[in-house]
Amino acid sequence: MADVATRAPASQPAGATTDPEPNETLYIQNLNENVKLSVLKQSLEALFSTYGKVLSVVAHTNLRMRGQAFVSFKSRDVAAKAMREVNGFPLYGKAMRITFARSKSDSVVRYLAGADGESALEAHKRARLAEKPLKRRRNILREREMQRKRKAAEAGVPVESVEPKSGSLARVQANQLPDEYLPPNKILFLQQIPSTTTRDDLQKLFGAYPNLLEVRTIPGRSDIAFVEYNDIPSGVQAREATNGYAMPNGERLKVSYARA
């Protein structure tokens, strides 16, 4: 059964409080839309589980929710600590923006209710369904689209079908490519890193090649990291030199270009 929480408000009237009240669910924006959803959710769970038990990670593929996710904890204190420390962390090349969600997720409602979890969840869902039509009517983007269609109908102009933009199609195709066929990038994605390897070890290895900008590791995931150079030629040189590099334990480092 899908877990649901409400997003933080995009905007509010002047003078109104813009920050949602602290709760157990975090709302995450600016996620890399080109990363496979299952991989993204796995990475989020690994990252946030270093702060406490993660009850759920929810992300969707529909256009309205792309690049967004919800992560729920058992405690709002844990959620607050995770938000303070992870907000702005670059996951797959994009800095996450994190706020509290406007409402509790289904998993939090069920957990906090204990033995009455299922009945509390049903009541929570009924209340959400009752509020949904009101939210839909308040949706500004939906209203603008409705106005556009009404004007087109009044003018006798057929409403055009929405075709994927060429850029969007290119991103989908790039996401389906095997790692070895990805186009050159100044950001490298490292895999198969031995658990004993430190950030300093990676810094030393990739610092041997010119124009290194930074090495980014992911908390809770010692087997993957990102390395960024100042320009694409430097990234190409480093990737060619280090892909398949024999680590001290004999394992081969896998280095590919990050997905654009």
Side-chain angles (χ1 to χ4, degrees):
M1 192 173 291
D3 196 12
V4 178
T6 307
R7 292 175 293 166
S11 62
Q12 289 189 3
T17 301
T18 57
D19 294 331
E21 291 294 325
N23 69 79
E24 296 81 1
T25 301
L26 299 180
Y27 171 47
I28 306 171
Q29 297 173 278
N30 202 40
L31 294 169
N32 193 325
E33 298 177 9
N34 297 313
V35 177
K36 189 176 180 181
L37 189 62
S38 59
V39 174
L40 185 62
K41 291 173 69 174
Q42 183 182 26
S43 298
L44 288 171
E45 183 164 9
L47 173 61
F48 284 100
S49 63
T50 60
Y51 293 91
K53 172 66 176 175
V54 173
L55 294 177
S56 62
V57 176
V58 179
H60 302 286
T61 57
N62 64 71
L63 185 61
R64 187 174 66 90
M65 292 299 295
R66 285 179 63 185
Q68 305 168 63
F70 297 94
V71 176
S72 298
F73 297 91
K74 290 182 176 180
S75 161
R76 68 180 59 184
D77 291 336
V78 172
K81 185 175 189 295
M83 183 177 72
R84 286 194 305 270
E85 298 186 7
V86 181
N87 189 31
F89 180 83
L91 183 63
Y92 295 112
K94 297 189 70 173
M96 292 183 286
R97 296 197 303 268
I98 307 176
T99 59
F100 290 109
R102 293 179 63 187
S103 63
K104 299 180 187 295
S105 69
D106 292 356
S107 60
V108 170
V109 171
R110 184 190 291 112
Y111 170 76
L112 294 179
D116 296 326
E118 290 305 318
S119 58
L121 180 58
E122 288 303 315
H124 178 68
K125 288 180 177 179
R126 286 196 297 271
R128 185 171 65 230
L129 287 173
E131 189 180 2
K132 195 171 182 179
L134 297 176
K135 288 183 178 179
R136 187 174 292 143
R137 283 197 292 271
R138 291 195 298 263
N139 189 306
I140 296 175
L141 293 178
R142 181 175 179 274
E143 179 59 29
R144 287 176 180 171
E145 178 65 12
M146 294 291 289
Q147 289 177 0
R148 185 184 71 83
K149 290 181 178 180
R150 282 198 296 268
K151 288 180 180 179
E154 291 170 0
V157 178
V159 179
E160 70 278 7
S161 60
V162 179
E163 297 293 340
K165 294 183 179 179
S166 57
S168 300
L169 181 58
R171 286 195 297 270
V172 171
Q173 291 172 338
N175 195 39
Q176 294 172 342
L177 286 173
D179 288 346
E180 57 267 28
Y181 296 120
L182 290 171
N185 195 326
K186 66 179 182 177
I187 302 176
L188 305 179
F189 179 43
L190 314 186
Q191 301 175 77
Q192 300 172 187
I193 304 173
S195 59
T196 55
T197 303
T198 66
R199 183 179 181 279
D200 289 339
D201 293 332
L202 296 175
Q203 188 84 27
K204 182 178 180 181
L205 173 61
F206 287 91
Y209 305 96
N211 300 317
L212 175 66
L213 181 61
E214 66 173 330
V215 174
R216 298 195 294 268
T217 54
I218 298 178
R221 289 295 304 271
S222 61
D223 60 325
I224 60 176
F226 293 93
V227 174
E228 183 172 355
Y229 287 85
N230 285 314
D231 52 65
I232 291 178
S234 299
V236 171
Q237 179 184 352
R239 193 252 175 185
E240 291 178 350
T242 56
N243 186 34
Y245 179 84
M247 302 299 284
N249 68 344
E251 190 167 357
R252 297 282 177 175
L253 184 66
K254 182 178 179 181
V255 184
S256 58
Y257 298 118
R259 296 179 185 273

